Amino acid sequence: MNSKSRTALTAGLLAVALGLGLGATVQASAGTARSVSGKPSDNITRIADFYGAYIDAVTDEDSGDLGEALKGHYLSAALQKELDAWEEKNHANGVLRAQNVPLAWKVTDNGTADYTEAVITLTWGGSTTTKLVVDMSRSSHKIFHIGEKGSAKK
């Protein structure tokens, strides 16, 4: 596949991922239909959309084009640069703060006044989880900080 075709494919995949509106809430019981809701004006929805689409992209892709496109759309330029340096130093994925891809994720509103802060709980297998703190600007809707909150056992 040539560079132009790959760019068009990546743009198309990004549009599909963004258009799905994945995120804020999923509720289901055994035997019932699940529903997902959210809105683009809600930063928690946007953070959940990013982590859901990014984890899917990292799980599904070898080339990383969609993951990079998602980072370009959702992360501030300064954070992208910071993550590049972190990844170089740590030889791991800066968004996930790990070398592997989690089996599940959860986004919880942590509340703030000047910006939106969320706690991302990544589940790795068994009962091992990692918690990240993610901050998003209310004006630009860009994630400007991803940091480790610590590890926990369920």
Side-chain angles (χ1 to χ4, degrees), residues 137-153:
S137 165
R138 291 192 191 278
S139 59
S140 70
H141 300 291
K142 296 280 188 181
I143 295 171
F144 64 88
H145 173 260
I146 298 173
E148 296 178 53
K149 184 173 176 125
S151 297
K153 292 277 188 179

Side-chain angles (χ1 to χ4, degrees), residues 8-20 53 66 69-74:
L9 176 61
T10 299
L13 291 172
L14 178 58
V16 169
L18 296 175
L20 290 176
L66 179 55
L70 288 165
K71 289 191 323 188
H73 181 77
Y74 283 97

Side-chain angles (χ1 to χ4, degrees), residues 4-83:
K4 189 174 183 179
S5 297
R6 185 174 304 131
T7 300
L9 176 61
T10 299
L13 291 172
L14 178 58
V16 169
L18 296 175
L20 290 176
L22 304 174
T25 328
V26 177
Q27 298 286 333
S29 300
T32 63
R34 297 182 337 149
S35 66
V36 177
S37 63
K39 53 188 176 180
S41 62
D42 177 65
N43 279 353
I44 295 299
T45 299
R46 293 177 75 89
I47 292 168
D49 288 347
F50 170 67
Y51 267 87
Y54 184 80
I55 289 169
D56 287 349
V58 172
T59 299
D60 296 345
E61 266 190 22
D62 289 329
S63 66
D65 291 340
L66 179 55
E68 289 302 311
L70 288 165
K71 289 191 323 188
H73 181 77
Y74 283 97
L75 308 182
S76 71
L79 178 58
Q80 290 176 65
K81 189 174 182 178
E82 180 184 315
L83 288 177

Side-chain angles (χ1 to χ4, degrees), residues 67-125:
E68 289 302 311
L70 288 165
K71 289 191 323 188
H73 181 77
Y74 283 97
L75 308 182
S76 71
L79 178 58
Q80 290 176 65
K81 189 174 182 178
E82 180 184 315
L83 288 177
D84 288 343
W86 188 95
E87 290 173 351
E88 181 71 26
K89 178 182 177 186
N90 293 282
H91 307 288
N93 184 304
V95 170
L96 303 174
R97 296 291 202 241
Q99 292 180 334
N100 298 322
V101 180
L103 300 175
W105 54 269
K106 177 181 169 185
V107 176
T108 305
D109 189 345
N110 208 32
T112 60
D114 298 332
Y115 57 90
T116 301
E117 183 175 276
V119 174
I120 313 302
T121 304
L122 303 173
T123 303
W124 301 101

